[in-house]
Amino acid sequence: MTETANQGSRPDFIRNICILAHVDHGKTTIADSLVASNGHISKRIAGNVRYLDDRKDEQERGITMKSSAISLSYTNENKENMVINLIDTPGHIDFSTEVSAAIRICDGALIVVDIIEGVCVQTREALKQAFEEKIKMILIINKVDRMIVDLLKPIDVIFQSILHIIEDCNAYISELCKYDVQSDVNEENYMFSPVLGNVIFASAIDGWGVTTKQVASMFLNVFPDEDADSLNKKMWDFDFYVSKGKLVTGAIGKKKPNIFITLFLNTIHYVYFTLRIRLDRAKYNTIVTKLNIKKETSEMKHTDSKIQVKAILQAWKPLAMTIFQQVNEFIPPPTKVDPQRFNYLINSTQYFGNTEMISYTEKMIDNFKRCAEPEIPTVVYVSKMFAASKRMLNQEKAINIVTGKRDRNEIINEMKLDEMAEKEEEKEDSKNEEDLSEDEENYDKTNDSTHLYGVLALARVFSGVLRTGQEIYILSSKYRPPGKDVDGEEYAEHCEFIQKVKIKQLYVLLGRELTAVASVSAGNICGILGLEKFIARTGTLCSTLYALPLTERITLEPIVRTSIECHNPKELPLLRKGLKFLKKIDSCVQVAMQDSGELVLVTAGDVHLAKCIEDIQNMVAKIDINVSKPMVSIKETIISLSKRVDHTKTSPFTIEMNLKDIGLILNATIVPLPENIVQAICSNFELLKLIEEFQCKSGIDLILQYDNGGDLPVSSEKIYSNEILMQRVKEQLKSAFESCKFGDMWKKVWSIGKKRDYINLLINNTSDYKRNIFATMDEADVRACLDHCIINGFDMWCRAGPICEEPISHCAVIINDYQLNNYDALKGMDLKATVIAGIPVSVKDCFRESFKKQTQRLMEPIFMTDIQVNTRILGKVYSVVSRRHGKVLDAVGMDEVEKTFLVKAQIPVAESHDFANEIRKTTSGQANPNLRFSHYEIIDGDPYFNVDEVESDEEDEDNSYTEAKRASKLRIEIRKRKGLKVDDQVVVHAEKQRTLNKKK
């Protein structure tokens, strides 16, 4: 372990990888095999310990909830000592931000797929995130043993399952390449093929893994005319088969088993079938000889066939060594990473047209390639913050290396002992508290637990060397370097987007342990202590001011809201302090306080919520809390009941705003925005927003310029540094607008709003005001002085709708007329400031009135779920989905023999609480759903519907009554929660109801 901490000074011998997969596909089991190769745990129990799952609830639930890093050592074929920085990530959709944080600081990913379940939802999400970050991927097809031993599948079926997994992954990557408009991607660089060496066939629980090239090397003596490379290629060319000891073509036409089946699948099937199923121990010597195992162990002759087969196959092709070999060969070192990845990290597209920023980008990319040279400045990226017990940060204690057998109960007992030790330290630390008032001192001694934990930053050193005690700058995402003629130190003192800190302590991450080090060289991953006061979630550390920050890409926004309160009101300060600490160490959680003083916890889903509650009660606050029923974030929109598609004509819902004091006239109509346009805007939102901000000029500057009679240039089309990219975006917008019969309005987009969470468009349909996001603002037109007021009013309107003050989405505001007839009335700065400040509010009110005139609807978040079921429980699953106002989208037959189906359904988030448990109980544990956020969907019912005014026999048969009732109930609940006015009918004087049938 000490050796690992001291290695990695040369970036060429470093590999940074993460493990990505769907839940329960075997990530943590594979991580156990890699950890066991370095002696942290015994190889005999690798796969059962779940070493990197160090939380108690992770062990009990059997799923990973946070990403954990560990540095491992490996000696390659050239006897070179390599450092493998490994990050194990969660597979559950609720913890996608943990996955993003891991991918951000890695150069490669192991994509694990269960051969039985195939490519699942989270597998696609993992492929998407890895592709977007432009990192190399290795595919591991896991659980091959289960197809043979548990399901007794024939070899042909196993082969088809492998083929389908590789084809599905490649098809999805091809689709991602097709829609990647922001970079020129070579599709071949991301495709999986056993010939290339980026596909491993494995059984993580049995500890073996193999590539086709390794299998080919075993049979070179059988085919003397072949070498390892040629035989490897023919193994994946399915037209070759073995005939009379030679390789010949024609396997497909003659329906002969190809050599992949003959050499690999037949071999592995024979081992399992002979020793595990037939229990034929007499064939042991034959198997060991055929597999060329030279060093036998006692476990290979164990009476338990499961232990015996595991020992034999581990000795044949150990999984850890196979993975290390392919990582060493296929994953690039930090000095040879694709420049496109660095461009994505820096988000270089935001610097279009700025030659100075582009030069900084090019310089940083060059520095990253030469990251180990002495003169290169230090650049470090912090991807997340996490908590660590102060016992772990205390380096006076020896580091424990686990070598004995440990089961799950032992690990849980160890955690309980750790908790007891923490309580003892809490008592000792409370004695040393000073400079507190008497009440605060007594209170913190018995309750406050946040001081038992330190906050570490998970970071990657991209260039230079990071040292303990080093003073370094923290650059926020909005930071821009000073000009060459500007004094750097003076600039740093006055710039709000930069802070100077001193590195308190550095650690090498070793799973459950930490090792303090004096310095961390380029290319390595480490933990940094002492940044919690300066970095909320992510940040960039740099030793020079002349650099650009690395940006965060948010992949999942929390949508489930829960109100929490203390069981004991006196403990409110502890709860607030605990929530503040929780927000630091959990990258996805959000904490909000309503105007009423209510504390709201916003999480990604039920499992994430359970984790947060566990942390509050047992770690960050250690108090009892009351948790409300989950609430959801909704949106407001409108729908069109007519078939009119000509949006250029005046609508009956048009509203005209007339500010007579300055002669400002605005004529606006609001129309629904089709989903195709929303998706086109959303997929290019960051780029379009950058273009919009670049084209927009401050209204105050324009007013001053106009008043002073300055030169006013005419409008001109902006020349971009990447015309190919711009052309792609324009073509995509054009196609989306024309398909929805919006014509050429894509050329007239005035603003796309401030947030990607709710997409709305402001469209300039005037005849004489030339303004769109692709053209420079016409400063010669005096109306440009108030341009920012119109956009600000539009943004204010987007933030809160009239139904229940929730954000508005999927709407387009079409401006048909915009006039400013009395600009001279703005003369005089006092009057000017007052009038201009009120314009956005008037614009918002104008849009709001147009919105109210139309058919209003609520949009609710929807979860998607895939459930594997058989015909016996199919009806039960349908009934649960129906009761929760969901709908089944499809039921695909997976296995005709076993009659299993993959049910694809969607459930409203508001109805999803405890859905997974209900499915498990209803199906006696045979179905295990996994919910993931999909989209927002319109509730097809009037939110102003009054249930009391409708008789029960007037209910419509098409569920419109039910949907209207749901929408109305949701509206009332939200308005009550926010303290808004609700027209409830309260019975003041009631009479006892008399029965019609009286007893005589």
PDB file of all heavy atoms in Angstrom, residues 565-589:
ATOM      1  N   GLU A 565     -38.910  18.217   9.163  1.00  0.00           N
ATOM      2  CA  GLU A 565     -38.916  19.042  10.372  1.00  0.00           C
ATOM      3  C   GLU A 565     -38.392  18.219  11.542  1.00  0.00           C
ATOM      4  O   GLU A 565     -38.396  16.975  11.500  1.00  0.00           O
ATOM      5  CB  GLU A 565     -40.324  19.545  10.669  1.00  0.00           C
ATOM      6  CG  GLU A 565     -41.335  18.452  10.931  1.00  0.00           C
ATOM      7  CD  GLU A 565     -42.728  18.982  11.184  1.00  0.00           C
ATOM      8  OE1 GLU A 565     -42.933  20.188  10.954  1.00  0.00           O
ATOM      9  OE2 GLU A 565     -43.595  18.201  11.608  1.00  0.00           O
ATOM     10  N   CYS A 566     -37.936  18.899  12.550  1.00  0.00           N
ATOM     11  CA  CYS A 566     -37.414  18.220  13.732  1.00  0.00           C
ATOM     12  C   CYS A 566     -38.561  17.633  14.548  1.00  0.00           C
ATOM     13  O   CYS A 566     -39.626  18.247  14.681  1.00  0.00           O
ATOM     14  CB  CYS A 566     -36.645  19.197  14.616  1.00  0.00           C
ATOM     15  SG  CYS A 566     -35.328  20.061  13.790  1.00  0.00           S
ATOM     16  N   HIS A 567     -38.329  16.482  15.097  1.00  0.00           N
ATOM     17  CA  HIS A 567     -39.294  15.922  16.037  1.00  0.00           C
ATOM     18  C   HIS A 567     -39.323  16.773  17.301  1.00  0.00           C
ATOM     19  O   HIS A 567     -40.382  16.972  17.915  1.00  0.00           O
ATOM     20  CB  HIS A 567     -38.921  14.478  16.363  1.00  0.00           C
ATOM     21  CG  HIS A 567     -39.931  13.771  17.206  1.00  0.00           C
ATOM     22  ND1 HIS A 567     -41.173  13.409  16.733  1.00  0.00           N
ATOM     23  CD2 HIS A 567     -39.897  13.370  18.505  1.00  0.00           C
ATOM     24  CE1 HIS A 567     -41.858  12.820  17.692  1.00  0.00           C
ATOM     25  NE2 HIS A 567     -41.104  12.786  18.774  1.00  0.00           N
ATOM     26  N   ASN A 568     -38.160  17.298  17.661  1.00  0.00           N
ATOM     27  CA  ASN A 568     -38.043  18.211  18.802  1.00  0.00           C
ATOM     28  C   ASN A 568     -37.676  19.589  18.258  1.00  0.00           C
ATOM     29  O   ASN A 568     -36.584  19.769  17.716  1.00  0.00           O
ATOM     30  CB  ASN A 568     -36.967  17.717  19.763  1.00  0.00           C
ATOM     31  CG  ASN A 568     -36.814  18.615  20.981  1.00  0.00           C
ATOM     32  OD1 ASN A 568     -37.518  19.620  21.126  1.00  0.00           O
ATOM     33  ND2 ASN A 568     -35.892  18.261  21.865  1.00  0.00           N
ATOM     34  N   PRO A 569     -38.545  20.591  18.352  1.00  0.00           N
ATOM     35  CA  PRO A 569     -38.271  21.922  17.770  1.00  0.00           C
ATOM     36  C   PRO A 569     -36.982  22.556  18.277  1.00  0.00           C
ATOM     37  O   PRO A 569     -36.379  23.375  17.577  1.00  0.00           O
ATOM     38  CB  PRO A 569     -39.487  22.749  18.198  1.00  0.00           C
ATOM     39  CG  PRO A 569     -40.569  21.741  18.437  1.00  0.00           C
ATOM     40  CD  PRO A 569     -39.887  20.524  18.970  1.00  0.00           C
ATOM     41  N   LYS A 570     -36.532  22.175  19.462  1.00  0.00           N
ATOM     42  CA  LYS A 570     -35.297  22.742  20.000  1.00  0.00           C
ATOM     43  C   LYS A 570     -34.070  22.325  19.184  1.00  0.00           C
ATOM     44  O   LYS A 570     -33.011  22.942  19.303  1.00  0.00           O
ATOM     45  CB  LYS A 570     -35.116  22.314  21.456  1.00  0.00           C
ATOM     46  CG  LYS A 570     -36.156  22.901  22.407  1.00  0.00           C
ATOM     47  CD  LYS A 570     -35.881  22.467  23.836  1.00  0.00           C
ATOM     48  CE  LYS A 570     -36.906  23.060  24.803  1.00  0.00           C
ATOM     49  NZ  LYS A 570     -36.649  22.647  26.203  1.00  0.00           N
ATOM     50  N   GLU A 571     -34.218  21.266  18.395  1.00  0.00           N
ATOM     51  CA  GLU A 571     -33.089  20.764  17.621  1.00  0.00           C
ATOM     52  C   GLU A 571     -33.017  21.362  16.218  1.00  0.00           C
ATOM     53  O   GLU A 571     -32.260  20.879  15.377  1.00  0.00           O
ATOM     54  CB  GLU A 571     -33.187  19.235  17.516  1.00  0.00           C
ATOM     55  CG  GLU A 571     -33.034  18.546  18.864  1.00  0.00           C
ATOM     56  CD  GLU A 571     -33.247  17.044  18.774  1.00  0.00           C
ATOM     57  OE1 GLU A 571     -33.983  16.601  17.865  1.00  0.00           O
ATOM     58  OE2 GLU A 571     -32.674  16.316  19.614  1.00  0.00           O
ATOM     59  N   LEU A 572     -33.806  22.414  15.947  1.00  0.00           N
ATOM     60  CA  LEU A 572     -33.805  23.033  14.625  1.00  0.00           C
ATOM     61  C   LEU A 572     -32.422  23.533  14.206  1.00  0.00           C
ATOM     62  O   LEU A 572     -32.026  23.349  13.045  1.00  0.00           O
ATOM     63  CB  LEU A 572     -34.829  24.179  14.580  1.00  0.00           C
ATOM     64  CG  LEU A 572     -34.956  24.905  13.242  1.00  0.00           C
ATOM     65  CD1 LEU A 572     -35.374  23.936  12.137  1.00  0.00           C
ATOM     66  CD2 LEU A 572     -35.960  26.062  13.351  1.00  0.00           C
ATOM     67  N   PRO A 573     -31.634  24.179  15.092  1.00  0.00           N
ATOM     68  CA  PRO A 573     -30.275  24.591  14.670  1.00  0.00           C
ATOM     69  C   PRO A 573     -29.415  23.414  14.214  1.00  0.00           C
ATOM     70  O   PRO A 573     -28.633  23.534  13.271  1.00  0.00           O
ATOM     71  CB  PRO A 573     -29.710  25.249  15.939  1.00  0.00           C
ATOM     72  CG  PRO A 573     -30.902  25.703  16.705  1.00  0.00           C
ATOM     73  CD  PRO A 573     -31.957  24.665  16.449  1.00  0.00           C
ATOM     74  N   LEU A 574     -29.569  22.265  14.901  1.00  0.00           N
ATOM     75  CA  LEU A 574     -28.813  21.077  14.481  1.00  0.00           C
ATOM     76  C   LEU A 574     -29.250  20.602  13.109  1.00  0.00           C
ATOM     77  O   LEU A 574     -28.424  20.207  12.284  1.00  0.00           O
ATOM     78  CB  LEU A 574     -29.023  19.945  15.492  1.00  0.00           C
ATOM     79  CG  LEU A 574     -28.154  19.967  16.751  1.00  0.00           C
ATOM     80  CD1 LEU A 574     -28.504  18.781  17.633  1.00  0.00           C
ATOM     81  CD2 LEU A 574     -26.685  19.932  16.385  1.00  0.00           C
ATOM     82  N   LEU A 575     -30.553  20.648  12.850  1.00  0.00           N
ATOM     83  CA  LEU A 575     -31.055  20.208  11.546  1.00  0.00           C
ATOM     84  C   LEU A 575     -30.533  21.113  10.443  1.00  0.00           C
ATOM     85  O   LEU A 575     -30.094  20.639   9.384  1.00  0.00           O
ATOM     86  CB  LEU A 575     -32.582  20.203  11.553  1.00  0.00           C
ATOM     87  CG  LEU A 575     -33.250  19.816  10.227  1.00  0.00           C
ATOM     88  CD1 LEU A 575     -32.827  18.422   9.808  1.00  0.00           C
ATOM     89  CD2 LEU A 575     -34.766  19.914  10.340  1.00  0.00           C
ATOM     90  N   ARG A 576     -30.562  22.410  10.670  1.00  0.00           N
ATOM     91  CA  ARG A 576     -30.072  23.347   9.654  1.00  0.00           C
ATOM     92  C   ARG A 576     -28.577  23.138   9.388  1.00  0.00           C
ATOM     93  O   ARG A 576     -28.132  23.154   8.240  1.00  0.00           O
ATOM     94  CB  ARG A 576     -30.339  24.786  10.104  1.00  0.00           C
ATOM     95  CG  ARG A 576     -31.813  25.178  10.054  1.00  0.00           C
ATOM     96  CD  ARG A 576     -32.002  26.606  10.489  1.00  0.00           C
ATOM     97  NE  ARG A 576     -33.383  27.036  10.338  1.00  0.00           N
ATOM     98  CZ  ARG A 576     -33.852  28.210  10.731  1.00  0.00           C
ATOM     99  NH1 ARG A 576     -33.031  29.073  11.325  1.00  0.00           N
ATOM    100  NH2 ARG A 576     -35.121  28.523  10.551  1.00  0.00           N
ATOM    101  N   LYS A 577     -27.824  22.954  10.460  1.00  0.00           N
ATOM    102  CA  LYS A 577     -26.390  22.740  10.289  1.00  0.00           C
ATOM    103  C   LYS A 577     -26.131  21.415   9.573  1.00  0.00           C
ATOM    104  O   LYS A 577     -25.248  21.314   8.705  1.00  0.00           O
ATOM    105  CB  LYS A 577     -25.716  22.745  11.656  1.00  0.00           C
ATOM    106  CG  LYS A 577     -24.186  22.692  11.587  1.00  0.00           C
ATOM    107  CD  LYS A 577     -23.573  22.846  12.972  1.00  0.00           C
ATOM    108  CE  LYS A 577     -22.044  22.830  12.883  1.00  0.00           C
ATOM    109  NZ  LYS A 577     -21.420  22.975  14.219  1.00  0.00           N
ATOM    110  N   GLY A 578     -26.926  20.398   9.921  1.00  0.00           N
ATOM    111  CA  GLY A 578     -26.767  19.105   9.276  1.00  0.00           C
ATOM    112  C   GLY A 578     -27.114  19.155   7.805  1.00  0.00           C
ATOM    113  O   GLY A 578     -26.432  18.541   6.978  1.00  0.00           O
ATOM    114  N   LEU A 579     -28.173  19.899   7.448  1.00  0.00           N
ATOM    115  CA  LEU A 579     -28.558  20.023   6.038  1.00  0.00           C
ATOM    116  C   LEU A 579     -27.498  20.767   5.249  1.00  0.00           C
ATOM    117  O   LEU A 579     -27.233  20.450   4.080  1.00  0.00           O
ATOM    118  CB  LEU A 579     -29.906  20.740   5.929  1.00  0.00           C
ATOM    119  CG  LEU A 579     -31.131  19.952   6.395  1.00  0.00           C
ATOM    120  CD1 LEU A 579     -32.372  20.826   6.361  1.00  0.00           C
ATOM    121  CD2 LEU A 579     -31.333  18.711   5.542  1.00  0.00           C
ATOM    122  N   LYS A 580     -26.903  21.757   5.875  1.00  0.00           N
ATOM    123  CA  LYS A 580     -25.825  22.494   5.214  1.00  0.00           C
ATOM    124  C   LYS A 580     -24.643  21.580   4.938  1.00  0.00           C
ATOM    125  O   LYS A 580     -24.023  21.634   3.861  1.00  0.00           O
ATOM    126  CB  LYS A 580     -25.395  23.673   6.098  1.00  0.00           C
ATOM    127  CG  LYS A 580     -24.357  24.584   5.461  1.00  0.00           C
ATOM    128  CD  LYS A 580     -24.031  25.750   6.383  1.00  0.00           C
ATOM    129  CE  LYS A 580     -22.981  26.660   5.744  1.00  0.00           C
ATOM    130  NZ  LYS A 580     -22.628  27.795   6.635  1.00  0.00           N
ATOM    131  N   PHE A 581     -24.334  20.713   5.902  1.00  0.00           N
ATOM    132  CA  PHE A 581     -23.240  19.750   5.725  1.00  0.00           C
ATOM    133  C   PHE A 581     -23.604  18.708   4.667  1.00  0.00           C
ATOM    134  O   PHE A 581     -22.772  18.323   3.846  1.00  0.00           O
ATOM    135  CB  PHE A 581     -22.944  19.078   7.065  1.00  0.00           C
ATOM    136  CG  PHE A 581     -21.698  18.248   7.076  1.00  0.00           C
ATOM    137  CD1 PHE A 581     -20.456  18.838   7.229  1.00  0.00           C
ATOM    138  CD2 PHE A 581     -21.761  16.868   6.931  1.00  0.00           C
ATOM    139  CE1 PHE A 581     -19.296  18.071   7.236  1.00  0.00           C
ATOM    140  CE2 PHE A 581     -20.615  16.091   6.943  1.00  0.00           C
ATOM    141  CZ  PHE A 581     -19.383  16.702   7.096  1.00  0.00           C
ATOM    142  N   LEU A 582     -24.862  18.265   4.672  1.00  0.00           N
ATOM    143  CA  LEU A 582     -25.319  17.273   3.699  1.00  0.00           C
ATOM    144  C   LEU A 582     -25.214  17.813   2.284  1.00  0.00           C
ATOM    145  O   LEU A 582     -24.831  17.087   1.349  1.00  0.00           O
ATOM    146  CB  LEU A 582     -26.765  16.867   4.006  1.00  0.00           C
ATOM    147  CG  LEU A 582     -27.413  15.873   3.050  1.00  0.00           C
ATOM    148  CD1 LEU A 582     -26.724  14.517   3.139  1.00  0.00           C
ATOM    149  CD2 LEU A 582     -28.895  15.727   3.350  1.00  0.00           C
ATOM    150  N   LYS A 583     -25.538  19.074   2.110  1.00  0.00           N
ATOM    151  CA  LYS A 583     -25.478  19.682   0.782  1.00  0.00           C
ATOM    152  C   LYS A 583     -24.042  19.719   0.257  1.00  0.00           C
ATOM    153  O   LYS A 583     -23.807  19.650  -0.948  1.00  0.00           O
ATOM    154  CB  LYS A 583     -26.061  21.094   0.853  1.00  0.00           C
ATOM    155  CG  LYS A 583     -26.360  21.702  -0.499  1.00  0.00           C
ATOM    156  CD  LYS A 583     -27.061  23.039  -0.340  1.00  0.00           C
ATOM    157  CE  LYS A 583     -27.329  23.672  -1.712  1.00  0.00           C
ATOM    158  NZ  LYS A 583     -27.991  24.984  -1.578  1.00  0.00           N
ATOM    159  N   LYS A 584     -23.079  19.807   1.168  1.00  0.00           N
ATOM    160  CA  LYS A 584     -21.671  19.818   0.752  1.00  0.00           C
ATOM    161  C   LYS A 584     -21.223  18.453   0.246  1.00  0.00           C
ATOM    162  O   LYS A 584     -20.482  18.362  -0.731  1.00  0.00           O
ATOM    163  CB  LYS A 584     -20.773  20.241   1.926  1.00  0.00           C
ATOM    164  CG  LYS A 584     -20.868  21.695   2.321  1.00  0.00           C
ATOM    165  CD  LYS A 584     -19.929  21.968   3.485  1.00  0.00           C
ATOM    166  CE  LYS A 584     -20.023  23.414   3.938  1.00  0.00           C
ATOM    167  NZ  LYS A 584     -19.134  23.677   5.101  1.00  0.00           N
ATOM    168  N   ILE A 585     -21.680  17.394   0.915  1.00  0.00           N
ATOM    169  CA  ILE A 585     -21.130  16.062   0.633  1.00  0.00           C
ATOM    170  C   ILE A 585     -21.984  15.260  -0.344  1.00  0.00           C
ATOM    171  O   ILE A 585     -21.582  14.177  -0.767  1.00  0.00           O
ATOM    172  CB  ILE A 585     -20.952  15.255   1.937  1.00  0.00           C
ATOM    173  CG1 ILE A 585     -22.303  15.017   2.620  1.00  0.00           C
ATOM    174  CG2 ILE A 585     -19.987  15.972   2.862  1.00  0.00           C
ATOM    175  CD1 ILE A 585     -22.226  14.132   3.848  1.00  0.00           C
ATOM    176  N   ASP A 586     -23.161  15.761  -0.708  1.00  0.00           N
ATOM    177  CA  ASP A 586     -24.023  15.069  -1.666  1.00  0.00           C
ATOM    178  C   ASP A 586     -24.215  15.978  -2.865  1.00  0.00           C
ATOM    179  O   ASP A 586     -24.842  17.036  -2.767  1.00  0.00           O
ATOM    180  CB  ASP A 586     -25.370  14.733  -1.032  1.00  0.00           C
ATOM    181  CG  ASP A 586     -26.185  13.761  -1.877  1.00  0.00           C
ATOM    182  OD1 ASP A 586     -26.161  13.897  -3.121  1.00  0.00           O
ATOM    183  OD2 ASP A 586     -26.835  12.874  -1.309  1.00  0.00           O
ATOM    184  N   SER A 587     -23.692  15.583  -4.007  1.00  0.00           N
ATOM    185  CA  SER A 587     -23.669  16.457  -5.177  1.00  0.00           C
ATOM    186  C   SER A 587     -25.031  16.641  -5.820  1.00  0.00           C
ATOM    187  O   SER A 587     -25.197  17.531  -6.649  1.00  0.00           O
ATOM    188  CB  SER A 587     -22.687  15.902  -6.222  1.00  0.00           C
ATOM    189  OG  SER A 587     -23.036  14.580  -6.580  1.00  0.00           O
ATOM    190  N   CYS A 588     -26.026  15.818  -5.468  1.00  0.00           N
ATOM    191  CA  CYS A 588     -27.332  15.911  -6.129  1.00  0.00           C
ATOM    192  C   CYS A 588     -28.407  16.545  -5.252  1.00  0.00           C
ATOM    193  O   CYS A 588     -29.406  17.046  -5.771  1.00  0.00           O
ATOM    194  CB  CYS A 588     -27.796  14.524  -6.575  1.00  0.00           C
ATOM    195  SG  CYS A 588     -29.255  14.537  -7.632  1.00  0.00           S
ATOM    196  N   VAL A 589     -28.219  16.522  -3.958  1.00  0.00           N
ATOM    197  CA  VAL A 589     -29.273  17.010  -3.076  1.00  0.00           C
ATOM    198  C   VAL A 589     -29.364  18.538  -3.108  1.00  0.00           C
ATOM    199  O   VAL A 589     -28.365  19.238  -3.314  1.00  0.00           O
ATOM    200  CB  VAL A 589     -29.028  16.523  -1.629  1.00  0.00           C
ATOM    201  CG1 VAL A 589     -27.893  17.292  -0.973  1.00  0.00           C
ATOM    202  CG2 VAL A 589     -30.294  16.641  -0.799  1.00  0.00           C
TER     203      VAL A 589
END
